[in-house]
Amino acid sequence: KLRFQNKFDFEIIVSKNIKKDITYFHSMLIQPFVENAIIHGLVNKKGTGHLTISFEKKDAVIICIIDDDGIGRVAAGKIKKIEEKRKKSWGVNLSIERMNILNKMGDTYAKIEIIDKTDLHGNPCGTTVIITTHLMIKKQTVQ
């Protein structure tokens, strides 16, 4: 937020049924999607944008929802093509690859869904990324 001169605001919401002191989520699955929401969606938006990162627990599953009201992936893609000649982006592809490795290891299950949001007139109005994974509990150490 500081880096981009308060171009957006954000909130992080953790469901009350999640025990924060013993529950964890693969952070490197989340980071590239949050970064993309900020750099490609919110910074390029006219006016102030909003980013919400929420965590919900349903049975043995944790769901992380990264939601922005930025310019959307199509408009961001057009800007990115111009910039692509300078820099190759790897973050999202690495997250998907990391998720596939976790799934193959059998220790966890992870799924990523990307939704392009539109308003009533079909205009892009942001992106929602939903990352679902098995609930992971930190092992307790006996002292």
Side-chain angles (χ1 to χ4, degrees), residues 64-108:
C64 174
I65 301 170
I66 303 158
D67 185 74
D68 71 71
D69 65 353
I71 63 172
R73 291 192 310 159
V74 173
K78 291 176 185 175
I79 295 168
K80 189 175 177 183
K81 280 185 181 179
I82 295 166
E83 297 172 349
E84 207 169 65
K85 295 175 184 171
R86 291 183 282 149
K87 178 182 156 190
K88 176 89 172 140
S89 175
W90 293 92
V92 170
N93 290 335
L94 288 174
S95 280
I96 291 169
E97 190 174 315
R98 189 174 294 113
M99 176 199 66
N100 290 333
I101 290 168
L102 290 170
N103 287 337
K104 286 179 186 174
M105 289 172 47
D107 291 342
T108 189

Side-chain angles (χ1 to χ4, degrees), residues 126-143:
T127 306
T128 301
V129 176
I130 303 170
I131 304 171
T132 306
T133 187
H134 280 132
L135 176 64
M136 293 175 283
I137 304 294
K138 294 177 186 174
K139 293 182 181 178
Q140 300 291 327
T141 57
V142 180
Q143 295 185 2

Side-chain angles (χ1 to χ4, degrees), residues 102-118:
L102 290 170
N103 287 337
K104 286 179 186 174
M105 289 172 47
D107 291 342
T108 189
Y109 159 81
K111 178 177 89 170
I112 298 172
E113 179 182 3
I114 301 172
I115 301 165
D116 296 309
K117 301 187 314 185
T118 57

Side-chain angles (χ1 to χ4, degrees), residues 2-41:
L2 292 174
R3 176 180 169 195
F4 296 108
Q5 292 79 41
N6 295 315
K7 183 76 175 130
F8 66 96
D9 59 11
F10 71 93
E11 62 182 326
I12 299 173
I13 303 167
V14 179
S15 176
K16 290 181 182 180
N17 67 346
I18 295 175
K19 295 179 181 177
K20 293 180 249 180
D21 56 333
I22 62 169
T23 306
Y24 71 97
F25 197 94
H26 292 287
S27 63
M28 291 310 293
L29 285 178
I30 302 169
Q31 186 274 338
F33 296 102
V34 173
E35 183 176 314
N36 278 359
I38 295 167
I39 292 173
H40 301 297

Side-chain angles (χ1 to χ4, degrees), residues 32-75:
F33 296 102
V34 173
E35 183 176 314
N36 278 359
I38 295 167
I39 292 173
H40 301 297
L42 297 172
V43 170
N44 292 310
K45 179 180 178 172
K46 292 180 181 172
T48 303
H50 186 76
L51 174 67
T52 301
I53 304 168
S54 62
F55 296 89
E56 302 171 8
K57 178 181 173 270
K58 292 185 181 177
D59 300 319
V61 173
I62 294 283
I63 302 163
C64 174
I65 301 170
I66 303 158
D67 185 74
D68 71 71
D69 65 353
I71 63 172
R73 291 192 310 159
V74 173

